[in-house]
């Protein structure tokens, strides 16, 4: 964005533009908020003193008019500084008010308020008329704008006028008292009366002498804007006598119309507000055209009303001219430094700067206050500062010339290399009196030297091919990397080989006839080309960049190249191309998977929908309803199986699945797998043969996961074998492995698909045109689980229609011992009799799910209380006792975890069993439930077996 809002603005505009804002809390001006930009623009264009505190850090901005009220110790360091750090002496007065406005308080205004400030190192009384206003945007109040006027001088003049008025009033009162005394006494001495008159006249002469001899113009207006008093210097400036001036207004005294009209408005304002007013104005009088600074104050009469307006005016022409001269000198010095990089300065014997150096200020942008003393070191680069000062001290101690090179921060904020030289000037006693020095910008020269050194270093150490050859294409320089890249035995061999012979034979004509002529025409060119390895003859792919070398007169005298080996990149590009092909293939498989997933999830939904409709028919028989329930149970289990497979793949891919290993017999795992698939085998009319060795084969494995592996293999065999087929599972020992084979007489697997069947979203049936359902993730899951157990799995088939064989190898356990007993002394799978008539709390924001679960529990003879959010569940738990609480973990208001933690703190539910009921079934979900105080974890949808097992645990089973 533009920074035009910082244009103009006098000295403060220039300082804001020159300042490096990167390190400030606001960042660069281009990124400032619009409200800040607009306020700064307004402030820089205003002639009235204005100050701005912005943001939480109260970063400060102010204009030229306000800068005039600041001393050298404060300005320009205050620009961009934090307000609390800058105005420590005044912060107890102004700080609370600023904080109140930032918090949303109203704008404020103060007239002639005492705010003491540090000036010239001392705390001095200062009176201010000021107001604080909030600056806000859509985000709220962002800053505080201060409009202020330093009325210290006005206040002091007002006090002086008040003192004068008081003395005049005292004089009048004294005269009146004397008159009363004379009237009452009627006989007092005339001598006493004359003494009073003499004293009064003496005071009048005193005041008149003071006002007549003051260099300032003093005057009094009546309420009709006419002069009733003008001191001698004012009459002289007008070129008029008392009688010619008194009683006339400004217009009648020759003031320009605009000037007279302006003073008329100001007199009326003082009368109306009873407050002073200040201004600066030019005037052409007998002293010539001069600049005057004036103040009008009200004169309050005995009745408390304004009876006149008094004023004083001071000639400030010299001050204005001096400021203008300073500004012109600054411009001249800046122009000088732009034309020359020479900076001249002198300092005290210890290196402390006292005398100003405009050239240094113009070069660095430091103010005199920042430069003086040892402030000049702030412009030296931090890395060079310590060495610079140490060298300076050595030169002082030895009385020798100081010469050094260091980086100095230039006006634009860039550090540039400079050469400093300082000569000591000695006193008669041999002590150093002062130093006279120069600082010369050598950045460009040094940069050229550094560039030359970098090139030399590049040529010596670079891994790129760097070489130079004449116009005859004979090399005359090659770096070591060039020799290595082309396999040259020696430097001489490489230099004696013409440039064109460095390239692969098929590319030489292009280099000779097309590329080098283009380099000659355009001065440089770049291409990708193959160089030739001298020993093996293999191509070496290079980015070949060539430049024309010219002599001092600009005539071509040869070629130079800095070229890079991109052989690996070329190989990577080929790999990337292949990866793109693979990715497109994977994306296609993913698309097919999503379509298959939608199909597979709809398949069970259709019979479930039909079963529900059948149950609602009034004439349905109990036999039909029984078949419908059995069918719905099978379809629901199929959906759960699909979802479980998806979750398992996700857990394996994310590394969140953990094996619960134990020493287990292979026969136990096979029995569990067969039990799960027998309904499918029987429904298809298959013949299932199982052959296990007589000796037990012990595995160190997760029995649940291995049973899942064998069940998936048997399920696949059932699905891809036509009805009445043969399926066989056989196991044997081979060395230290258990080998399990699952064979079928099914549709077989094409040879090119034997490996891809284990990839995600791959289905054998797609390769032979027969759709059997499934998501194409079962075998991918099988392979992942087998590999987690340290085993392998392979597929074999004689082809389409020839059946398939899956061979699984798992390492046997090192010791064939029986499994250890459970800690509670029971065997896995034992159930404890269920206690009937239990009080149970069911909480779930899914009303249908909660109602159906309550119906199942009620059918089992239990008393069930329902809740549909966390607050309701917690209220029920506080009000009643329950043996079992089944809580959905994702309820609104309070989650199930929060309710569980609260329940665990209730003494009357100390013996209750807590079960988490959730659709999240990963291991870390179970761990989180355990940490929250749950005893059990049910993954939705929970079946009757899981619910009955949960009820059985009320008699003492532990969290599983």
């Amino acid at each position: 964005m533009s920074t035009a809002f910082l244009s103009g603005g006098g000295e403060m505009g220039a300082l804001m533009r020159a300042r490096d804002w990167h390190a400030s809390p606001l960042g660069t001006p281009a990124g400032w908020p619009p409200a800040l930009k607009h306020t700064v623009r307004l402030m820089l264009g205003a002639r009235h003193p204005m100050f701005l505190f912005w943001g939480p850090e109260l970063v400060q901005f102010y204009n030229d008019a306000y800068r005039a009220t600041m001393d050298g110790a404060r300005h320009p360091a205050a620009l961009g500084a934090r307000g609390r750090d800058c105005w420590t002496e005044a912060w107890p007065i102004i700080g609370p008010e600023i904080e109140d406005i930032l918090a949303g308080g109203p704008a404020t205004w103060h007239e002639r308020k005492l705010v003491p400030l540090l000036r010239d190192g001392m705390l001095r009384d200062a009176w201010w008329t000021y107001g604080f206003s909030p600056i806000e945007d859509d985000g709220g109040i962002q800053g505080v704008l201060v409009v202020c006027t330093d009325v210290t001088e006005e206040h002091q003049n007002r006090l002086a006028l008040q003192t004068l008025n008081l003395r005049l009033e005292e004089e009048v009162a004294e005269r009146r008292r004397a008159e009363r005394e004379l009237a009452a006494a009627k006989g007092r001495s005339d001598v006493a009366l004359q003494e009073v008159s003499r004293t009064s006249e003496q005071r009048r002469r005193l005041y008149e002498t003071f006002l007549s001899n003051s260099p300032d113009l003093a005057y009094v207006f009546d309420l009709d804007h006419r002069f009733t008093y003008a001191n001698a210097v004012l009459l002289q400036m007008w070129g008029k006598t008392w009688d010619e001036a008194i009683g006339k207004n400004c217009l009648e005294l020759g003031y320009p119309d605009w000037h007279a009209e302006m003073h008329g408005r100001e007199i009326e304002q003082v009368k109306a507000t009873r407050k002073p007013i200040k201004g600066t104005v030019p005037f052409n009088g007998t002293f010539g055209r001069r600049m005057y600074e004036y103040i009008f104050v009200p004169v309050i009469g005995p009745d408390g009303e304004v009876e006149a307006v008094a004023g004083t005016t001071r000639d400030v022409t010299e001050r204005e001219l001096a400021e203008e001269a300073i500004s012109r000198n600054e411009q001249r010095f800046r122009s000088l430094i732009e034309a020359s990089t020479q900076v001249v300065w002198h300092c005290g014997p210890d290196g402390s700067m006292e005398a100003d150096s405009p050239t240094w200020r113009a070069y660095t942008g430091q103010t005199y206050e920042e430069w003086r003393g040892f402030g000049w070191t702030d412009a030296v680069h931090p890395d060079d500062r310590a060495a610079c000062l140490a060298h300076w001290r050595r030169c002082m101690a030895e009385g020798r010339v100081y010469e050094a090179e260091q980086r100095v921060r230039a006006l634009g904020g860039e550090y540039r290399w400079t050469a400093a030289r300082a000569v000591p000037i000695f006193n008669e006693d041999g002590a150093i009196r002062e130093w006279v020095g120069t600082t010369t910008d050598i950045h460009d020269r040094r940069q050229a030297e550094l560039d030359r050194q970098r090139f030399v270093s590049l040529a010596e150490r670079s891994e790129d091919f760097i070489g130079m050859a004449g116009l005859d294409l004979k090399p005359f320089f090659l770096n070591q990397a060039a020799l290595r890249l082309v396999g040259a035995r020696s430097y001489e061999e490489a230099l004696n080989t013409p440039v064109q012979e460095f390239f692969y034979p098929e590319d030489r004509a292009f280099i000779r006839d097309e590329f080098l002529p283009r380099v000659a025409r355009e001065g440089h060119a770049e291409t990708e080309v193959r160089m030739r390895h001298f020993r093996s003859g293999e191509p070496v792919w290079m980015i070949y960049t060539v430049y024309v070398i010219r002599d001092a007169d600009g005539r071509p005298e040869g070629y130079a190249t800095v070229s890079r080996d991109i052989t690996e990149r070329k190989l990577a590009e080929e790999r990337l191309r292949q990866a793109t092909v693979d990715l497109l293939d994977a994306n296609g498989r993913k698309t097919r998977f999503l379509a298959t997933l939608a199909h597979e999830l709809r398949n069970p939904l259709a019979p479930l929908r039909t079963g529900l409709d059948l149950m609602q028919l009034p004439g349905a028989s109990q036999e039909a309803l029984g078949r419908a329930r059995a069918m719905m149970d099978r379809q629901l289990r199929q959906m759960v199986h699909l979802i479980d497979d998806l979750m398992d793949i996700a857990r394996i891919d994310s590394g969140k699945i953990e094996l619960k290993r134990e020493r287990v017999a292979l026969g136990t795992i096979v029995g569990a797998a067969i039990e799960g698939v027998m309904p499918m085998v029987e429904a298809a009319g298959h013949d299932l043969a199982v052959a296990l060795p007589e000796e037990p084969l012990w595995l160190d494995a997760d029995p649940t996961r291995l049973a899942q592996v064998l069940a998936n293999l048997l399920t696949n065999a059932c699905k891809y074998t036509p009805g009445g087929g043969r399926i066989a599972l056989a196991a044997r020992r081979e060395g230290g492995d258990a080998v399990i084979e699952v064979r079928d007489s099914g549709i077989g697997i094409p040879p090119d698909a034997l490996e891809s069947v284990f990839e995600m979203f791959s289905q054998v049936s797609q390769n032979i045109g027969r759709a059997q359902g499934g998501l194409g993730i079962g075998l991918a899951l099988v392979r992942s689980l087998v590999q987690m157990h340290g085993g392998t799995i392979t597929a074999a088939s004689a082809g389409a229609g020839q059946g398939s064989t899956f061979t699984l190898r798992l390492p046997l356990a090192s010791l064939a011992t029986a499994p250890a007993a459970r800690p509670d002394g029971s065997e896995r799978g034992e159930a404890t009799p269920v206690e009937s008539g239990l009080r149970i709390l069911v909480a779930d924001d899914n009303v249908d799910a909660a109602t159906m679960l309550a119906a199942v529990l009620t059918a089992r003879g239990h008393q069930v209380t329902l809740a549909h959010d966390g607050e309701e569940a917690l209220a029920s738990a506080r009000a009643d006792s329950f043996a079992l609480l089944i809580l959905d973990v994702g309820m609104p208001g309070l989650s199930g975890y929060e309710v569980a933690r609260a329940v665990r703190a209730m003494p009357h539910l100390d013996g209750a069993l807590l079960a988490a009921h959730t659709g999240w079934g990963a291991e870390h979900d179970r761990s989180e439930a355990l940490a929250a105080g749950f005893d059990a974890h049910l993954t939705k949808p929970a079946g009757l077996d899981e619910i009955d097992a949960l009820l059985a645990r009320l008699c003492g089973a532990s969290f599983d």
Side-chain angles (χ1 to χ4, degrees), residues 864-894:
V864 181
T865 299
L866 283 176
H868 298 303
D869 60 50
E871 296 286 355
E872 185 181 356
L874 189 58
S876 298
R878 290 193 178 111
D880 209 342
S881 294
F882 297 98
L884 172 63
L885 294 88
I886 302 176
L887 307 176
D888 178 22
V889 300
M891 293 183 291
L894 292 176

Side-chain angles (χ1 to χ4, degrees), residues 530-757:
R530 292 170 293 181
M531 284 190 176
R532 173 182 65 90
H533 193 276
F534 287 5
R535 305 277 75 81
S536 66
E538 293 294 324
V540 181
W541 276 100
M542 305 290 289
I543 292 182
Y544 187 48
T545 306
V546 180
Y547 301 85
V548 173
I549 303 173
R550 301 184 185 276
D551 61 19
D553 297 323
R555 292 189 297 268
E557 63 178 4
Y559 300 97
T561 179
V562 179
S563 301
R564 178 158 298 173
D565 182 354
I566 59 169
T567 304
E568 286 299 322
R569 194 196 79 187
K570 284 291 186 178
L571 293 175
E573 288 174 353
E574 176 58 27
R575 290 193 294 269
L576 180 60
R577 188 195 63 77
Q578 184 59 45
T580 302
V581 173
D582 295 343
L583 183 60
L584 290 174
D585 178 64
N587 188 58
R589 287 190 284 112
K590 182 199 74 173
T591 302
R592 293 193 298 273
F593 161 74
L594 291 175
T596 304
L597 174 61
H599 177 269
E600 289 298 313
L601 289 177
R602 287 193 185 100
N603 280 343
L605 290 176
L608 286 173
R609 175 73 268 171
T610 303
L612 288 173
D613 291 341
L614 177 64
M615 290 179 178
Q616 295 176 10
L617 295 176
S621 66
Q622 290 300 317
E623 180 181 358
L625 291 175
R627 287 196 302 272
R629 281 193 293 270
M631 173 272 297
M632 293 172 71
D633 181 67
R634 288 195 304 274
Q635 297 301 325
L636 181 60
R637 291 179 185 275
Q638 175 65 13
M639 289 187 68
V640 171
H641 177 73
L642 291 174
I643 294 171
D644 285 344
D645 277 358
L646 286 171
M647 294 299 292
D648 282 341
I649 283 292
R651 292 175 192 135
I652 290 173
D653 287 347
S654 62
K656 294 181 179 178
I657 196 167
E658 294 181 3
L659 298 180
K660 296 182 179 180
R661 292 180 181 270
E662 60 182 67
R663 195 171 303 282
V664 60
L666 175 60
T668 302
I669 297 173
V670 171
I674 291 174
E675 181 181 355
V677 301
M678 278 307 296
M680 181 182 295
V681 172
E682 293 170 352
H686 293 318
D687 176 24
L688 174 62
V690 178
L692 299 178
E694 293 184 2
E695 62 167 329
L697 300 179
W698 293 98
L699 305 172
D700 181 16
D702 184 328
T704 301
R705 292 302 184 186
L706 281 189
Q708 181 182 2
V709 166
L710 295 179
N712 273 359
L713 293 176
L714 292 170
T715 299
N716 265 11
C718 287
K719 287 170 59 177
Y720 294 109
T721 299
R726 297 184 306 280
I727 300 173
L729 186 152
R732 65 183 184 275
R733 176 197 291 272
E734 283 190 7
D737 294 336
V739 179
I740 306 105
E741 291 182 347
V742 177
R743 299 188 185 91
D744 64 64
S745 61
I747 63 176
I749 303 174
D752 59 351
L754 289 174
E755 179 59 29
S756 63
V757 293

Side-chain angles (χ1 to χ4, degrees), residues 637 943-950:
R637 291 179 185 275
L944 288 176
D945 292 343
E946 295 172 283
I947 294 172
D948 287 341
L950 178 64

